[in-house]
């Protein structure tokens, strides 16, 4: 459970950091909040008496933080990539695994005869292969040859053929080489040459052999040897001046490379010494010390260590040959020594060698890797004898690496207990603490290391430790911690060779390792998708399916198992088939079903990955889709569309969308068609489609993007019928209004949308009752998104108008090739097709640019295409310009601010303009013309629908939720983010600032507001709204073209300027700061109800769109614009929106979900909306008839009080706001007639103070959040500043900086939240800031 504990620890640390901070903030609270609220009436009546206790203070400082998840980082600006299977991640895989197939051993010893160029000392080194040739009476040479063969076989048993030549001639060596190459074929050949009985190699690169009679030494050029052995090959030269051969070989290689275009030969050389050196002759070494290091490293290393340690006098060297155990068994002393030696040499090589060279020499060929590990030992030992072994490719020096000290310590511990073990075979040896100590060192590095520091040198040792059961658990936990540090760590671990080890561990049944292995595989597959092939080949997928189905693990860990399985089946048909056979569909559906039945909150990440895993499993895989439909998968996934987490909803849409058949599944065959009944398939598709229509107006772009992708699949499969439906709506229509179906009222709070979507969209329209069911709702989101009453889309007869061409058997329609190679589809219900067209149009006008682009791509599939057109400009006020519109239809009201669309269909008579364009304002045209396939502007529809075969896939919009979700697992999961302390420190600093200034505002009486602006600037067009940043000297303002500008008013410079979107209409109605105490976001609410939230809005050209959605869905009959009013409440995380609709929409920005529609309880529209910034869930609304209503969503009836403070006047409420303080019953309301009412809902009379501030011309009102001051502005060039008792504190009439020119008509007013600063925007484009007299004096 260690990994689970680690993960639980991570989550607890993260939450503890925040909760501790909150505890500190409220640690001085001496009473409950309710008691304080009860006392707030008396406190709020006199600002001098308001306390600054922690409870009071914290009521003003909301703790809710929204829109700060991973999904908000860069949804619009970048496309997620997901796990890769090529490029950088593939470097860790050895390019081509290789083995040594044949070993040629050539011994030129000529025992008894010394070569002429060698003068031997006495006593002299005599042993060859640990045999003294003079101690044997006969066959000494043969015995040495057999022993050498056995020593080599120990490193590669039963995998290579060994051939030996003793004191051979040139012809014998040639024959040997040719036969070895013939046997090895393309495998490597090892050529070992011992030249202790012949002269040194020549400067020309020749080694010496014998003639037949052994009377002469015969030279053999290295070039001949190379031509016989060819490539790949490895040479070992154990003779004096062996470096001569290496030098000559390098020259030969360079010569061949310059004269030939062939690739360089794969040849490796190991030589005993430099060209000018002679082999050691000291009797303490064997004569073949180089060969002994390469073939018997443990024996050689221990003997050499003994000679240099304190044990040299007390230890009998003969005991070294009696070390108990087997070299291949790690639980024996000899096996453990060999294991430690391997770990030490691997670690030295990995830390010293370049990455590519390490892979080639230590991971490509087992025998080569063993020889090079032992070569590092040879370098260490022979350098002590003034001899320097040489290799090609050249290795950097390693003989002084500090890891040799760890080896010496292990050797000393071994040798110190060796005498006892030899005397008493039953004695147990004490394990060497080498691996325990190295794991501790690795753990220390994990505590302090990072990507920017030197990599942990113990990583190869961790790999070796995985072989041991006693150390495996700890090693896996530490390895998991390392992999969690990022993709760079995963790449390092894979490069060192971790992959085959963790793959093999999937065969273990130890339950203790399951969580850790799942975590490690999660990290590996988050980087490298190509491992899916290895997992399926070894049956590893069953391991993860069993883990997914177990109930013992944490939900987060089971989510990781689902992620691993999703990667296994992602685009991998063999993986899909294997997981389908193993029952993955039923396992996932069972757990999804269990989550719906279980009252406890299921981990969202687990639900998310169950859906993604299912979607990837049955994506374009007909067999899996059939099983899914048989298991009723759509009805199991549908309840997830109401989940509070956008990631879960988007994943559920992805799973449902991939069940839709696009019509060109390559795996479909006759057998499958017989199994799957078409009628059943269509019924299932209907249920899927209805569920998708339920979330087409979801608050999260993540969800809507998946809906668009799913509708694209549906549009492709049903292209012909959707085109016919759309074409039918284009015909001239009667004057009747609308029978077009709507899904606006599908929004409800039930968990399963299918429960109430079903009756709404019943199949068939043959009864009047059904026709009534599908009449358009005036509050439809489709109506709000631009479908005009009286438009061709709302033709009463349109339900049946396409019947003439719906069953057209021709494969082309208007030049667009239909999907004629898919199975014949029976058309679905006409109303359902109509719903789909409307949903596509809604997406094409989405406030998110990415979603709008996806929506337009979906429309292009059914023949509707985007053309470049500008909004229609009126030739004179009040009269639309009809020039060029004789052949246009106003199907879409594009005043919502989006690109127009062209609908291409078979030619019909153009619709009449009379009755459709009357009174139209800023309406973009939707051009209509016959479509010729060869025209240069054929657009997206032609290549998409005209393509055949597998290339069609590339034209469909691709889902992003899977790749985006994968990104979570490539980021650290176990550690608290590094910047959490910085975030908390910044918030604490801002809280202190806010509390100080709140107290100052409450205790300082505002005497007068200066009529001299401290700063001003000017827009090109009228200012619509403005905002003062609470913690920086910034003013943010927007004009009627939705151009947002950010100024620093202390330095008087423009920081940033950007367009809220490209096709504005009536401007921005509200600017708010979201998360103002943290990393604040800018919320811009357009008058059409579209919400866009920006981050980095102060950085020039760096602003990013965090999220966007339409907050108003549908509007009243006969109303052409929404006139949205919006307010944001940080305490609750709710956004309230209304306008020309009969309800108030409540959006939860944390969930990015519409959570409630509150009836406005009035036949009039709402003209002003204000949310309490102290009491979460409470807001007030002002209506066009002058009435005021207070709502509280925490109460069952929602509506708290209705008042008519402006009666008998029936004028629009311009602005409404809560008075400062904790009192939840005091409100300020101002109507267009000019009167300002101070209201107390507990007072039956309503208003307790009434002021007639601006007679018939009031346009703006602002109430300070904490100071007892309000400001009102009028169209008659005047701003008045008043106290809460109605006393005038000042007025503003002129622009002093503009030569005493009168101020313009006031369009907006706003106070600084924590200081007495007033920002005013005017109809002539000016923006000014005014300070109170105290501030100016200071």
């Amino acid at each position: 459970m260690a990994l689970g504990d680690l993960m639980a620890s991570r989550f607890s640390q993260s939450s503890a950091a925040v909760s501790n901070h909150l505890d500190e903030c409220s640690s001085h609270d001496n009473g409950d909040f309710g008691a304080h609220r009860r006392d707030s009436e008396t406190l709020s009546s006199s600002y001098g008496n308001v306390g600054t206790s922690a409870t009071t203070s914290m009521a003003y400082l909301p703790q809710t933080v929204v829109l700060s998840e991973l999904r908000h980082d860069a949804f619009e600006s970048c496309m997620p990539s997901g796990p890769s299977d090529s490029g950088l991640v593939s470097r860790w895989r050895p390019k081509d695994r290789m083995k040594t197939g044949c070993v040629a051993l050539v011994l030129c010893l000529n025992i008894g005869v010394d070569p002429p160029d060698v003068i031997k000392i006495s006593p002299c080194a005599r042993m060859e292969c640990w045999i003294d040739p003079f101690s044997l009476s006969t066959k000494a040479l043969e015995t040495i040859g057999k022993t050498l063969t056995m020593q080599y076989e120990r490193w590669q048993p039963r995998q290579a053929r060994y051939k030996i030549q003793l004191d051979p001639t040139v012809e014998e060596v040639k024959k040997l080489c040719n036969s070895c190459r013939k046997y090895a074929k393309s495998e490597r050949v090892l050529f070992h040459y011992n030249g202790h009985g012949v002269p040194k190699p020549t400067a020309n690169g020749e080694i010496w052999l014998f003639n037949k009679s052994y009377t002469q030494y015969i030279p053999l050029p290295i070039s001949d040897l190379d031509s016989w052995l060819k490539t790949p090959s490895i040479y070992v030269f154990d003779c004096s001046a062996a470096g001569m051969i290496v030098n000559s070989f390098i020259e030969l290689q360079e010569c061949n490379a310059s004269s030939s275009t062939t690739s360089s030969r794969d040849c490796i050389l190991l030589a005993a010494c430099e060209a000018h050196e002679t082999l050691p002759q000291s009797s303490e070494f064997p004569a073949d010390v180089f060969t002994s290091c390469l073939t018997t490293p443990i024996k050689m290393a221990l003997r050499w260590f003994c000679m240099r340690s304190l044990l040299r006098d007390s230890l009998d060297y003969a005991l070294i040959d009696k070390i108990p155990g087997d070299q291949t068994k790690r639980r024996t002393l000899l096996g453990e020594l060999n294991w430690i030696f391997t770990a030490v040499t691997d670690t030295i090589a990995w830390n010293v060698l370049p990455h590519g060279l390490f892979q080639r020499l230590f991971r490509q060929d087992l025998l080569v890797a063993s020889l090079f590990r032992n070569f590092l030992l040879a370098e260490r030992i022979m350098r002590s004898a003034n001899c320097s072994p040489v290799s090609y490719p050249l290795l950097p020096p390693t003989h002084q690496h500090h890891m040799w000290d760890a080896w010496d310590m292990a050797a000393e511990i071994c040798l110190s207990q060796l005498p006892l073990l030899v005397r008493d075979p039953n004695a147990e040896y004490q394990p060497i603490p080498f691996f325990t100590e190295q794991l501790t060192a690795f753990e220390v590095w994990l505590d302090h290391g990072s990507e920017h520091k030197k990599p942990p040198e113990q990583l190869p040792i961790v790999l070796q430790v995985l072989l041991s059961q006693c150390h495996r658990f700890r090693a896996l936990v530490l390895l998991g911690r390392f992999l969690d540090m990022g993709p760079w760590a995963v790449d390092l671990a894979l490069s060192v060779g971790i992959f085959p080890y963790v793959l093999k561990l999937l065969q273990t049944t130890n339950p203790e390792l399951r969580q850790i292995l799942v975590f490690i595989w999660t990290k590996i597959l988050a980087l490298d998708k190509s491992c899916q092939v290895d997992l399926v080949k070894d049956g590893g997928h069953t391991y993860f399916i069993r883990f997914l189905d177990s109930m013992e693990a944490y939900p987060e860990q089971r989510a990781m198992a689902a992620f691993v399985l999703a990667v296994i089946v992602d685009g991998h048909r063999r993986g899909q088939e294997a997981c389908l056979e193993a029952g993955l569909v039923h396992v996932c559906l069972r757990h999804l079903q269990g989550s719906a039945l279980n009252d406890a909150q299921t981990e969202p990440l687990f639900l998310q990955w169950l859906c993604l895993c299912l979607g990837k499993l049955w994506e374009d895989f007909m067999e899996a889709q059939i099983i899914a439909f048989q298991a009723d998968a759509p009805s199991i996934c549908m309840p997830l569309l109401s989940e509070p987490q956008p990631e879960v909803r988007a994943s559920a849409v992805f799973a449902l969308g991939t069940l839709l058949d696009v019509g060109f599944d390559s795996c479909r065959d006759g057998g499958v068609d017989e199994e799957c009944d078409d009628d059943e398939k269509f019924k299932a598709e209907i249920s899927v489609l209805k569920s998708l229509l339920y979330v087409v107006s979801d608050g999260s772009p993540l969800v809507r993007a998946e809906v668009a992708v799913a509708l694209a699949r549906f549009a492709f499969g049903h292209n012909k019928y959707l085109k016919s439906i759309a074409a039918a709506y284009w015909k001239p229509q009667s004057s009747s209004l609308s029978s077009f179906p709507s899904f606006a009222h599908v929004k409800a709070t039930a968990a399963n949308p299918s429960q109430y979507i079903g009756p709404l969209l019943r199949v068939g329209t043959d009864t009047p009752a059904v026709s009534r069911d599908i009449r358009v709702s005036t509050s439809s989101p489709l109506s709000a998104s631009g479908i005009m009453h009286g438009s061709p889309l709302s033709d009463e007869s349109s339900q049946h108008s396409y019947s003439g061409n719906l069953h057209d058997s021709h494969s082309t329609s208007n030049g667009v090739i239909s999907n004629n190679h898919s199975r014949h589809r029976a058309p679905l219900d006409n109303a359902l097709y109509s719903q789909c067209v409307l949903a596509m149009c809604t997406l094409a006008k989405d406030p998110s640019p990415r979603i709008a682009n996806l929506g337009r791509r979906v429309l292009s599939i059914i023949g509707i295409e985007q053309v470049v057109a500008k909004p229609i400009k009126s030739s004179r006020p009040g009269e639309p310009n009809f020039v060029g519109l004789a052949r246009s239809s106003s199907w879409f009201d594009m005043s919502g601010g989006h690109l127009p669309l062209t609908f291409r269909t078979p030619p019909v008579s153009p619709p009449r303009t009379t009755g459709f364009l009357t009174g139209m304002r800023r309406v973009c045209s939707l051009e209509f013309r016959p479509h010729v396939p060869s025209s240069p502007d054929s657009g997206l529809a032609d290549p998409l629908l005209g393509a055949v075969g597998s290339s069609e896939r590339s034209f469909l919009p691709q889902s992003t939720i899977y790749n985006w979700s994968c990104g979570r697992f490539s980021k650290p999961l176990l550690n608290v983010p590094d910047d959490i302390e910085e975030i908390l420190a910044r918030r604490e600093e801002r809280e202190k600032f806010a509390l100080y200034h709140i107290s100052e505002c409450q205790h300082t009486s505002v005497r007068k507001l200066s009529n001299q602006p401290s700063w001003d600037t000017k827009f090109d067009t009228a200012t619509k709204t403005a905002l003062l940043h609470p913690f920086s000297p910034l003013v943010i303002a927007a004009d009627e073209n939705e151009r947002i500008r950010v100024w620093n008013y202390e330095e008087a410079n423009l920081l940033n300027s950007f367009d809220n979107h490209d096709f504005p209409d009536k401007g921005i109605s509200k600017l708010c700061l979201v998360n103002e105490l943290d990393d604040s976001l800018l919320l811009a609410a357009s008058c059409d109800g579209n919400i866009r939230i920006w981050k980095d809005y102060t950085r020039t050209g760096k602003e990013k769109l965090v999220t966007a959605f339409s907050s108003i869905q549908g509007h009243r009959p006969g109303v052409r614009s929404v006139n949205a009013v919006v307010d944001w409440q940080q305490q609750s995380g709710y956004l309230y929106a209304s306008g020309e609709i009969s309800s108030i929409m409540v959006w939860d920005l944390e969930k990015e979900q519409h959570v409630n529609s509150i009836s406005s309880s009035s036949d009039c529209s709402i003209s002003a909306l204000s949310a309490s910034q102290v009491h979460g869930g409470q807001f007030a609304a002002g209506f066009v008839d002058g009435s005021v209503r207070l709502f509280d969503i925490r109460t069952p009836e929602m509506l708290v009080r209705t008042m008519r403070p402006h009666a008998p006047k029936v004028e629009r409420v311009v602005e409404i706001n809560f008075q400062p303080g904790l009192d939840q019953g005091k409100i300020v309301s101002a109507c267009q007639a000019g009167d300002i009412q101070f209201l107390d809902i507990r007072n039956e009379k309503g208003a307790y103070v009434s002021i007639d501030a601006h007679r018939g011309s009031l346009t703006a009102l602002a109430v300070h959040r904490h100071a007892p001051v309000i400001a009102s502005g009028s169209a008659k060039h005047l701003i008045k500043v008043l106290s809460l008792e109605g006393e005038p504190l000042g007025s503003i009439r002129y622009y002093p900086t503009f030569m005493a020119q009168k101020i313009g008509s006031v369009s907006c007013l706003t106070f600084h939240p924590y200081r007495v600063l007033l920002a005013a925007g005017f109809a002539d484009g000016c923006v000014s800031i005014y300070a109170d007299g105290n501030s100016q004096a200071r």
Side-chain angles (χ1 to χ4, degrees), residues 331-350:
R331 292 191 176 184
T332 64
L333 181 57
L334 183 58
E336 187 175 32
L337 271 176
N338 185 63
W339 185 25
I340 294 172
F341 178 81
T342 302
V344 167
T345 49
D346 245 21
T347 301
I348 293 173
W350 188 73

Side-chain angles (χ1 to χ4, degrees), residues 104-109 148 152 165 168 173 190-201 206-210 217-220 222 225 234-240 242 245 270-272 279 288 290-291:
L105 305 176
V106 177
L107 302 182
C108 299
L109 297 181
L148 181 60
Y152 265 111
Q165 284 289 345
V173 170
L190 186 148
F191 181 85
H192 180 102
Y193 173 77
N194 182 325
H196 297 171
V198 293
K200 299 175 184 176
E206 298 165 319
I207 59 173
W208 296 97
L209 301 173
F210 301 97
Y217 298 114
I218 307 298
L220 171 62
I222 188 69
L225 191 60
I234 178 171
Y235 300 87
V236 177
F237 295 104
D238 187 355
C239 59
S240 296
I245 308 169
L270 300 175
L279 292 177
D288 62 346
F290 185 62
T291 298

Side-chain angles (χ1 to χ4, degrees), residues 510-792:
N510 186 352
E512 189 182 36
L513 304 180
R514 292 191 307 167
Q515 292 97 331
I516 307 167
L517 282 174
V518 168
F519 182 83
I520 287 172
W521 273 103
T522 297
K523 286 297 177 179
I524 292 174
L525 288 173
L527 176 76
D528 192 347
K529 173 184 169 183
S530 69
C531 301
Q532 61 183 184
V533 178
D534 306 87
L535 281 169
V536 175
K537 183 180 177 182
D538 282 32
H541 61 285
T542 58
Y543 186 91
F544 297 101
I545 293 176
R546 288 195 303 271
F547 185 87
L548 178 66
D549 203 21
S550 67
M551 300 301 293
E552 295 83 12
Y554 291 105
E556 296 95 337
Q557 294 168 334
R558 293 165 69 200
M560 293 178 192
F563 161 74
V564 170
L565 290 165
V567 177
I568 288 175
V569 299
D570 179 23
H572 183 214
R573 181 47 51 86
R574 183 68 195 96
Q576 288 176 312
E577 292 168 351
C579 289
L580 186 65
E581 291 170 9
L584 180 57
V585 170
H586 299 291
V587 170
C588 291
L589 290 177
R590 184 165 64 252
H591 288 294
L592 284 178
Q593 212 164 13
S595 70
L597 299 174
N598 188 4
D599 293 336
Q601 177 65 41
T602 306
E603 172 61 36
L605 187 67
F606 184 44
L607 295 178
Q608 176 185 348
W609 275 104
L610 284 174
C611 291
L612 292 173
C613 181
L614 284 173
K616 282 295 177 182
L617 176 58
W618 59 50
E619 186 177 30
D620 301 326
F621 185 30
M622 182 60 70
E623 288 91 338
Q625 291 174 7
I626 293 168
I627 291 176
F629 285 126
Q630 290 170 350
D632 202 15
S635 64
I636 295 174
C637 293
M638 281 179 200
L640 299 175
L641 299 178
S642 301
E643 283 291 311
Q645 294 80 18
E647 298 91 340
V648 178
R649 302 199 300 272
S651 302
V653 172
F654 171 74
L656 291 168
T658 47
L659 280 174
L660 296 174
D661 183 12
V662 292
F664 52 84
D665 193 296
S666 58
C667 75
R668 190 187 299 116
D669 55 29
V672 174
D673 281 343
E674 291 174 9
E675 294 175 20
C676 182
D677 181 74
D678 279 352
D679 292 338
E680 293 297 323
K681 183 79 160 56
F682 292 153
K683 286 179 182 178
E685 282 196 346
I686 289 172
S687 67
V688 169
L689 197 59
K690 290 175 181 177
S691 66
L692 295 178
L693 296 179
Y694 170 73
V695 286
V696 76
S697 297
D698 191 275
S700 171
L702 206 61
V703 180
R704 301 197 303 276
E706 296 307 310
V707 175
V709 172
L711 287 178
R713 292 177 64 92
F714 176 77
F716 199 97
H718 293 254
N719 169 259
K720 182 166 61 174
Y721 310 110
L722 286 167
K723 283 193 76 221
S724 301
I725 282 282
Y729 288 129
W730 224 255
K731 296 179 181 178
Q733 66 283 349
S734 64
S735 61
S736 66
L737 279 179
S738 173
S739 65
F740 203 78
S742 164
F743 53 89
H745 52 290
V746 167
K747 286 282 186 179
T749 57
N752 190 345
S754 62
Q755 294 171 355
Y756 41 83
I757 294 177
L760 174 70
L761 297 173
R762 286 196 292 268
V763 177
T765 57
D766 51 351
T767 66
V770 175
S771 296
R772 284 194 297 273
D773 277 347
I774 60 175
R775 286 183 183 275
V776 69
S777 165
T778 55
S779 62
S780 167
L782 302 173
S783 302
S785 61
I787 306 302
M788 297 171 57
H789 294 285
S791 70

Side-chain angles (χ1 to χ4, degrees), residues 358-525:
F358 176 81
Q359 289 288 330
R360 179 187 172 196
L361 301 182
F362 286 81
R363 292 294 180 263
Q364 195 178 55
D365 185 321
L366 289 176
L367 183 57
V368 171
S370 298
L371 288 177
F372 267 93
R373 289 191 194 100
N374 303 342
F375 178 79
L376 301 184
L377 174 69
E379 184 192 15
R380 186 188 192 208
I381 291 176
M382 296 185 72
R383 277 184 180 266
S384 69
N386 299 317
C387 216
S388 302
V390 185
S391 68
Y392 176 81
L394 182 66
L395 302 187
T398 60
H399 61 289
Q400 291 182 326
H401 196 279
H402 64 86
M403 281 303 296
W404 286 120
D405 297 334
W407 163 253
D408 289 344
M409 183 176 180
E412 185 171 2
I413 294 172
C414 165
L415 293 174
S416 63
Q417 55 182 319
L418 185 56
L420 174 63
L421 294 173
V422 172
R423 283 197 310 270
D424 182 5
N426 296 322
E428 287 190 12
Y429 84 96
Q430 296 299 317
I432 302 170
F434 170 82
F435 289 108
T436 303
E437 293 167 354
Q438 294 300 317
L439 286 179
T440 301
F442 184 50
E443 191 169 6
V444 170
W445 187 95
L446 290 175
D447 292 337
H448 304 283
S450 70
E451 180 180 4
H452 307 293
K453 295 183 179 179
K454 183 181 177 183
E457 63 181 25
Q458 295 84 13
L459 204 54
I461 298 175
V462 176
L463 180 147
Q464 291 293 327
V465 172
L466 295 180
L467 299 170
S468 166
Q469 285 188 350
C470 59
H471 298 295
R472 184 177 294 158
F473 180 76
R474 183 186 179 199
L476 284 172
V477 171
L478 295 178
L479 178 62
R481 285 182 57 191
F482 177 67
L483 298 181
D484 192 54
M485 298 182 81
W488 64 272
V490 181
D491 187 49
L492 272 180
L494 291 173
S495 300
V496 83
I498 215 84
F499 182 77
Y501 292 78
V502 291
L503 184 62
K504 188 76 172 175
L505 284 175
L506 293 180
Q507 299 174 11
T508 64
T509 56
N510 186 352
E512 189 182 36
L513 304 180
R514 292 191 307 167
Q515 292 97 331
I516 307 167
L517 282 174
V518 168
F519 182 83
I520 287 172
W521 273 103
T522 297
K523 286 297 177 179
I524 292 174
L525 288 173

Side-chain angles (χ1 to χ4, degrees), residues 3 14 41 599 674 738 749 958 967 982 990 1021 1078 1111 1119 1306:
L3 187 63
S14 180
E41 295 180 21
D599 293 336
E674 291 174 9
S738 173
T749 57
Q958 296 300 305
E982 179 185 341
R990 289 186 171 185
T1021 56
D1078 300 275
S1111 65
V1119 177
V1306 180

